[in-house]
Amino acid sequence: MDKKLCIMLLCWGLFFNAAARAQTVSQPDNGPAGASGQDTIVTAIEVKGNTSISANTVLSKLKTRIGSPYNDNVISDDMKRLYLLGYFSDIKIDTEKYMGGMKVIITVVERPLIEKISFSGSRRIGMSEEKLKETLRSKETQYLDYTAVAEDVETLRKMYEKKGFTQVQIEHTVDIDESLNKARISFKISEGRKKKIRMIYVEGNWNVSDSRILKIIKTKRAWLFNSGILKEDVLEEDIERVKAYYQRKGYMDVSVEKELKTDPRGRFWYITLKVAEGKKYLVGNVAIQGNADVNEADIRAKIKECKPGNVFSQEALKEDVMAVQGVYFDRGYIAAKVLDTTSLNTSTGNIDIVLSIEENEVFYVGQVKIRGNVKTKDVVIRREMRIYPGDRFDGEKLRRSKERLQNLGFFDEISYDTEDSDAPDKKDLVVDVRESKTGAFSFGGGYSSVDRLVGFIEISQKNFDWKNWPYFTGAGQDLKVRATMGSVTEAYDLSFTEPWLFDYPASFGFDLYKHTHDRDSDVGYGYNEDITGGDIRLGKELSEYVRGNLTYRHDTIKISDVEVTASQDLKDEVGTNVESSMEFGLTYDNRDNVFDPTRGNVLGGSIQVAGGPFGGDRNFWKYFGNAAHYFGVGKAVIDMRLRAGVADSYDDSNKVPINSRLFAGGAYTIRGYRERKVGPVDSVTGDPLGGRSLLVGNVEYLYPLSSFFKLALFYDIGNVWPKVSDIGSGGYRAGTGLGFRLKTPIGPVMLDYGIPLDKESGETERGNGRFHFSMSHSF
């Protein structure tokens, strides 16, 4: 019994000892206690497998550091960061015991470097291999990325499709030199046929014509002036354009689908746009609620599109909502909100509209802050503002302030913003500007139908400041120095204007000049003319849109080289005379932009008195009046102008000097006729003599083809008469034609082709059309 007990105890002892050993063997070798926890210290980091990428580059991206606790999460993040480098195709991180801690071993497999990218089959795309490479995400000398290569194939395919190669097929191969770890990528292109659009059909359009829809879309069939290339993205945009057009017409449920077919030989596309117009919706009842401080009649007066019975469209509703919000903004409710709700009235089938207004409180202007002006002084901007601290926010005043700032010509962009102030009922007004280049040193040459061949050199600064040495900018003064030399003309000019004299809204300026013009009958000069002189100018704003000007002018004028066969009337002008005159003018100008007007009016009149109390050799007076009206028609602008002038002598003078008479014909008056050849002419030489009364009317239709290029259609009519009493008595000459207006770095260019509708003065037959080329100050 005792032996059996001993044997049993011995067996149990051996069993538990073996189990203990087995448990010890099955424990992973994680180093010291806590190796799988957060207490094991990293004692070394080793990088293996790198050849081109330095170990320091790898180590710099790790958060695991020698001496820091080992952490599985940190190791996982380190691996992600290394993959994001894009240098490696495979990364493995192992650990082993090392010096009482743990060594982290990072084994990397570097991506191959792209040694060469080549193309085959790219014959008709019209791009060199280097240009094709520029379109790719993969680049030579960079690391190979298979995802990027797949994107490059798609990029090439889309590029080919945009150029009409819709059947293009592109394959690629990647050859890797394992010994050098370099890769060569080859793109094999099968361009296929270049299909063009043969015809575009429209179906289901009962209320909109085919021609209207085909005009809306940008996808066009192939013909002489269009390649007819099918671009899927443009066609999708065209579908949206057609839908938007229908929706503006009230067809809110319209749907448009496309169908693409090819001819049996696969050479052309045939496109069909299938339209389902749906019901045409009209505006039903329009309700206004929430307006406590603004009369409902004032609100309804601003609703132009969404009136009961009109066609309903979301675009028109949006415009009316903005107009109603503008009513509140103009009255200082700059935080007012106008929300629109629409619903279908099942009994009438119309769309009922509810405008819910949240007026909020009236806000007043706190501070006016100017930002963005680097060169221009704050005072130059502030003096043009028509809204001041303490004023109630007023949309009309803000619009007018912006127009005045634009008319300075100093800024490319002008915008407003508001900021909170300390007072709860006030907001600070922020005027943010982006300055344009106001100074110029320019030179050039060209041809003018008035001055013939001409060259010029000019230094100008529209934002001059004579006190601001050495930059001389920022005060809003205008300085110009110009020299012009041509085949028949020569001119030297110096001009200076201070728009705010002693910080008072009155301008002061002067001009010094010397102008000569040689005899050239083709441009209306039957004599040589030499004028040397200058003037002093004063101006004052009499109201927001009315300005008065006073100018004293002193000129020495020499007339010479008249034809021997000329009449005595023209010979009497030969000699040197001094003209001393005073001119007073009034101008009303409410154009939205003086450089490129789209709306507004100009009314002006001036009277000049020479001689008499002002001295000089000639006594005469001259009145000149002008009117212009600008208005928009869609994108186009119509400009209607009327000019009238009369001049006469007084006291002991019996005629108006020829240089001060009135002339018409040519680029700036009645196009289609030679310069100054409308009106009285010399009976012998046919040279223009000018007259004492003038009446000229012009109508121009200007359509912008781009931001710097405009097409012009025009009609001019007028005449010049020898006596003041003859004005308007008949004999009108008319001309019509077309031209363009181009904005260039050296100034706007005008080129017109005018066709005369009547005979020139002194001619027996109507002349041919002629070009008129000139450079002017504005369009």
Side-chain angles (χ1 to χ4, degrees), residues 67 195 208 487 631 717 755:
K195 287 198 296 186
V208 179
S487 56
F631 61 96
I717 187 170
I755 302 172

Side-chain angles (χ1 to χ4, degrees), residues 474-533:
Q477 300 158 358
D478 192 351
L479 176 69
K480 181 183 294 183
V481 181
R482 181 181 178 98
T484 304
M485 292 144 284
S487 56
V488 297
T489 186
E490 190 171 294
Y492 304 93
D493 296 87
L494 170 64
S495 177
F496 173 81
T497 303
E498 166 58 77
W500 282 66
L501 187 61
F502 307 120
D503 293 325
Y504 186 74
S507 65
F508 166 79
F510 66 84
D511 300 284
L512 299 174
Y513 46 81
K514 179 176 176 61
H515 298 166
T516 62
H517 204 296
D518 293 342
R519 186 179 70 186
D520 190 332
S521 296
D522 286 340
V523 295
Y525 281 82
Y527 51 87
N528 289 348
E529 182 182 75
D530 187 326
I531 301 176
T532 304

Side-chain angles (χ1 to χ4, degrees), residues 700-715:
E700 277 196 355
Y701 174 88
L702 297 169
Y703 187 87
L705 300 176
S706 70
S707 60
F708 60 88
F709 187 81
K710 295 180 182 179
L711 176 69
L713 301 174
F714 61 84
Y715 176 80

Side-chain angles (χ1 to χ4, degrees), residues 116-120 129 133 136 140 173 184-189:
K116 178 69 175 177
I117 299 175
S118 60
F119 303 87
S120 62
E129 193 165 291
K133 289 178 183 179
L136 305 182
E140 292 176 350
T173 57
R184 288 174 171 262
I185 304 174
S186 300
F187 294 97
K188 183 179 179 181
I189 302 171

Side-chain angles (χ1 to χ4, degrees), residues 159-218:
M159 183 178 66
Y160 266 91
E161 287 181 347
K162 285 185 176 181
K163 291 183 177 290
F165 296 93
T166 55
Q167 298 175 323
V168 66
Q169 294 182 357
I170 302 173
E171 297 177 355
H172 74 280
T173 57
V174 179
D175 298 321
I176 298 177
D177 187 335
E178 300 288 350
S179 61
L180 299 175
N181 199 30
K182 291 186 177 181
R184 288 174 171 262
I185 304 174
S186 300
F187 294 97
K188 183 179 179 181
I189 302 171
S190 176
E191 293 177 327
R193 287 181 176 273
K194 188 174 185 180
K195 287 198 296 186
K196 296 184 178 182
I197 300 170
R198 186 63 176 269
M199 191 63 67
I200 303 175
Y201 303 101
V202 186
E203 297 178 356
N205 53 315
W206 304 106
N207 295 286
V208 179
S209 66
D210 288 8
S211 60
R212 177 72 255 184
I213 292 176
L214 294 177
K215 187 175 181 180
I216 292 170
I217 63 177
K218 291 187 176 181

